[in-house]
Amino acid sequence: ELRMATQQDARKVLEENDCFVFDCDGVIWRGPAIIPGSLEYLNLLNTKGKKVFFVSNNSTKSRAMFVDKFQKLGLDWVTEENIVCSAFVAAQFIKDQPQFESKSVYVIGEAGIEEELDRLEIKRCGGLQQVQRFKDQDMQHPQIAHSMTIEMVFDDLQPDVGAVIVGFDRHIDYRRLAYAHRYLQNPECLFIATNTDSSFPSNNGLLPGNGAIVAALATASGRQPIITGKPSTTMMDIICSRYQLDPKRTIMIGDRLETDILFGQAANMSTLLVLSGVCTEETAQKSDIKSDYIFPSLADLIVSDD
């Protein structure tokens, strides 16, 4: 039987943890809309001197872009030190590979990945520049654009690509999949996915996630990617080594059992599921993955000082 947490549980969460790790989508906001009570709870934790981290599988934003979003919401205490996003972890992971020295990365993904790669001075190709190049070509030669998909023209292959990184990309098309696939035929080329979320919550219901794009390439190449987002341990290793957290005094708060809650459990943290995003009470009831606490939303975690 599923037990909804109480005010007493909310107090316990506050007393027994020094560090709070939050997912963002479906926990703090849903698309552009803020989930009521979430900002109040975050400010409460900050006032009480708790360490707060935001971990996100959303690779379209860099840490700087996340900070900008939090600042605009009035959370002026949030800095890049509070943010661990899959684009940053992926860039850091590539930087740490000794065999990668002086090679470049082929990017499927948006500005978040490009920004994080640039900050670590990792060379890149593909990405938004290639999107623009294809658009320009299609405008100039519309007749080729319509017949092109069967006979691929690889006029832009880079010889030094040592990794293909796949993040969520709203401009994905067949040509870019074909380029990525071509690079992945080299067994030395790393195949990195920022995350494999099947979908994500928006104001118009669930939309296809990065997992759908990764699956297309995994199927075509016959290869499985290294995943740098939740629930993979790559992200957790970076958090724990950078910030010296004590898992016994840390809680993971998210809206998905198969990423957020598994992620917390793999790191021996307590876990708290909110039902304000992807997971419903019914899904939670049926799932084998059990969270320590279940709350409707962050608003229900706010405890009054008495």
Side-chain angles (χ1 to χ4, degrees):
E1 186 55 27
L2 207 61
R3 189 180 77 84
M4 275 298 183
T6 60
Q7 268 283 289
Q8 202 177 346
D9 292 318
R11 277 212 165 72
K12 201 173 148 200
V13 166
L14 208 52
E15 283 157 19
E16 293 183 0
N17 295 288
D18 305 319
C19 180
F20 290 70
V21 181
F22 288 91
D23 172 48
C24 299
D25 279 322
V27 178
I28 299 164
W29 53 67
R30 252 191 318 264
I34 299 301
I35 295 168
S38 56
L39 302 184
E40 289 80 346
Y41 188 62
L42 295 173
N43 279 325
L44 171 76
L45 294 179
N46 184 52
T47 320
K48 291 200 176 292
K50 304 290 187 184
K51 276 188 178 166
V52 176
F53 293 98
F54 302 100
V55 293
S56 175
N57 274 357
N58 178 353
S59 62
T60 62
K61 288 186 167 65
S62 63
R63 282 167 305 161
M65 290 156 86
F66 270 108
V67 169
D68 189 49
K69 178 157 184 170
F70 280 112
Q71 300 271 344
K72 287 196 172 104
L73 295 175
L75 301 182
D76 52 7
W77 48 269
V78 176
T79 70
E80 286 191 13
E81 289 299 295
N82 301 92
I83 312 271
V84 184
C85 56
S86 60
F88 161 65
V89 177
Q92 195 59 59
F93 178 81
I94 291 171
K95 190 75 172 170
D96 294 343
Q97 304 304 307
Q99 80 273 29
F100 193 77
E101 201 72 52
S102 79
K103 295 200 173 116
S104 72
V105 182
Y106 179 76
V107 176
I108 287 181
E110 299 186 17
I113 293 178
E114 297 190 339
E115 237 175 73
E116 294 292 357
L117 290 171
D118 292 350
R119 283 184 68 166
L120 292 177
E121 298 180 351
I122 297 169
K123 286 193 300 182
R124 60 180 171 84
C125 58
L128 297 173
Q129 274 176 316
Q130 194 178 39
V131 172
Q132 195 50 54
R133 203 173 69 86
F134 285 152
K135 273 187 186 152
D136 295 344
Q137 279 179 353
D138 292 348
M139 294 285 286
Q140 286 161 351
H141 311 286
Q143 72 289 358
I144 301 176
H146 294 299
S147 65
M148 155 135 200
T149 42
I150 306 304
E151 229 2 277
M152 271 297 297
V153 181
F154 294 103
D155 57 356
D156 191 24
L157 283 171
Q158 305 299 318
D160 64 342
V161 168
V164 168
I165 185 168
V166 184
F168 182 65
D169 191 324
R170 282 164 287 204
H171 312 279
I172 189 66
D173 73 358
Y174 186 80
R175 286 173 283 190
R176 293 174 62 223
L177 285 174
Y179 265 84
H181 176 249
R182 178 59 62 94
Y183 290 125
L184 288 173
Q185 287 169 25
N186 168 9
E188 303 289 291
C189 180
L190 294 169
F191 180 15
I192 296 168
T194 58
N195 67 300
T196 50
D197 291 24
S198 55
S199 60
F200 64 94
S202 80
N203 264 353
N204 303 316
L206 290 180
L207 294 173
N210 192 43
I213 302 173
V214 174
L217 272 176
T219 303
S221 65
R223 295 179 56 177
Q224 286 307 312
I226 297 158
I227 301 162
T228 59
K230 298 169 294 187
S232 94
T233 50
T234 319
M235 193 177 232
M236 196 48 91
D237 294 344
I238 284 189
I239 297 177
C240 291
S241 63
R242 278 177 75 113
Y243 304 110
Q244 287 85 50
L245 304 185
D246 171 9
K248 288 192 272 305
R249 302 277 305 165
T250 303
I251 189 162
M252 173 71 212
I253 301 172
D255 69 317
R256 273 178 185 264
L257 291 163
E258 73 282 9
T259 50
D260 304 323
I261 303 308
L262 272 187
F263 180 66
Q265 288 174 349
N268 300 314
M269 300 174 173
S270 330
T271 54
L272 189 158
L273 178 73
V274 287
L275 302 176
S276 50
V278 170
C279 191
T280 62
E281 203 169 333
E282 194 185 350
T283 339
Q285 188 108 41
K286 287 181 184 157
S287 176
D288 296 335
I289 306 164
K290 297 297 177 205
S291 161
D292 297 322
Y293 301 97
I294 299 181
F295 282 86
S297 75
L298 292 187
D300 303 278
L301 279 157
I302 299 170
V303 290
S304 51
D305 285 321
D306 56 29

